[in-house]
Amino acid sequence: MLCHTSHMTSAQTSTPVMRRRLGGILRRYRNEAAMTLAQAASCVGWESTRLSRVETGQYPDQGTRDLNALGGVCGQ
């Protein structure tokens, strides 16, 4: 019997990793700006739960404009 294993491409495996890395960077910026999760989320018009998911890499659909706005709020 022949066994087949599925192989994920590097693009498929790197996306969650990249989201977590980006989220960590955003959290660091927010902490350096001495902002709470609620304060930063409010400044960009998000719920704090959404920002929390972004920071932990659990929010897959993040637009560049939103991330730029968040970076601006945190002074980066």
Side-chain angles (χ1 to χ4, degrees), residues 1-7:
M1 187 167 159
L2 188 60
C3 292
H4 295 283
T5 58
S6 63
H7 296 283

Side-chain angles (χ1 to χ4, degrees), residues 11-70:
Q12 291 170 316
T13 57
S14 66
T15 301
V17 171
M18 295 306 290
R19 283 197 310 257
R20 285 191 299 271
R21 285 182 184 166
L22 177 60
I25 291 167
L26 293 172
R27 180 182 298 118
R28 187 177 74 234
Y29 289 162
R30 177 178 59 77
N31 288 333
E32 288 174 359
M35 296 183 80
T36 66
L37 191 69
Q39 289 170 326
S42 176
C43 287
V44 292
W46 293 357
E47 296 290 327
S48 58
T49 53
R50 178 178 178 186
L51 180 53
S52 176
R53 289 182 187 126
V54 168
E55 287 185 352
T56 58
Q58 299 173 9
Y59 199 91
D61 242 355
Q62 216 39 67
T64 304
R65 183 180 55 199
D66 289 340
L67 293 176
N68 285 335
L70 185 58

